[in-house]
Amino acid sequence: MASVTHFIQNELLQSGQLHGYRMMAVRCKESGLNVRMEDVRIISLYLDPVGVALRRSISIRRRAYYAAGPNFIWHFDDYDKLKPFGLCISGCICGFSRRLIWLNVYHTNNNARVIGGYYLEAVQIHGGCPRFDR
């Protein structure tokens, strides 16, 4: 572990001061050091707390999500990676509760009647439709 700490300390004196712990772990592995990413994170936090705080402050912030209540907004999506094998997956969730409205597999998702059928079936099962669809 002392060799890893020494390596990270040397990297921080050079261009490594701009790297996060993931990139530093890659640099360690490239140098032949077998170390866990979590260990690199802890060592980096100990050796360069100011740099870690600066990098953390500019991380991506997710926007706030708001849904007024159950069935206020439904989110639809399709998964096409299995299309070459004849499997098209279509799903819908409630934006408030994250409850699964439907998840169906069919041989096509390009036909609007198929997706519309899923929607109408869900409206009948849940006793109403959402205010918004996304």
Side-chain angles (χ1 to χ4, degrees), residues 31-100:
S31 297
L33 297 170
N34 189 14
V35 62
R36 295 181 322 150
M37 196 177 300
E38 179 65 15
D39 294 336
V40 172
R41 186 186 69 78
I42 292 169
I43 292 169
S44 296
L45 182 61
Y46 178 75
L47 293 176
D48 187 24
V50 175
V52 170
L54 284 173
R55 285 188 294 277
R56 188 177 290 157
S57 70
I58 61 170
S59 65
I60 297 173
R61 302 226 189 279
R62 295 202 180 266
R63 63 182 173 184
Y65 180 83
Y66 175 75
N71 293 328
F72 180 76
I73 185 166
W74 285 359
H75 298 272
F76 308 96
D77 202 5
D78 293 324
Y79 187 75
D80 293 331
K81 296 231 185 229
L82 299 174
K83 210 169 197 177
F85 305 102
L87 301 171
C88 296
I89 301 171
S90 176
C92 176
I93 64 166
C94 174
F96 178 78
S97 63
R98 304 293 197 266
R99 181 182 48 149
L100 188 64

Side-chain angles (χ1 to χ4, degrees), residues 73-134:
I73 185 166
W74 285 359
H75 298 272
F76 308 96
D77 202 5
D78 293 324
Y79 187 75
D80 293 331
K81 296 231 185 229
L82 299 174
K83 210 169 197 177
F85 305 102
L87 301 171
C88 296
I89 301 171
S90 176
C92 176
I93 64 166
C94 174
F96 178 78
S97 63
R98 304 293 197 266
R99 181 182 48 149
L100 188 64
I101 305 298
W102 80 71
L103 185 64
N104 293 327
V105 179
Y106 197 61
H107 63 81
T108 183
N109 60 0
N110 292 337
N111 189 346
R113 288 184 180 187
V114 173
I115 306 301
Y118 297 154
Y119 183 81
L120 290 176
E121 184 180 333
V123 167
Q124 289 174 350
I125 290 171
H126 296 289
C129 63
R131 183 172 291 176
F132 296 104
D133 298 326
R134 183 171 289 161

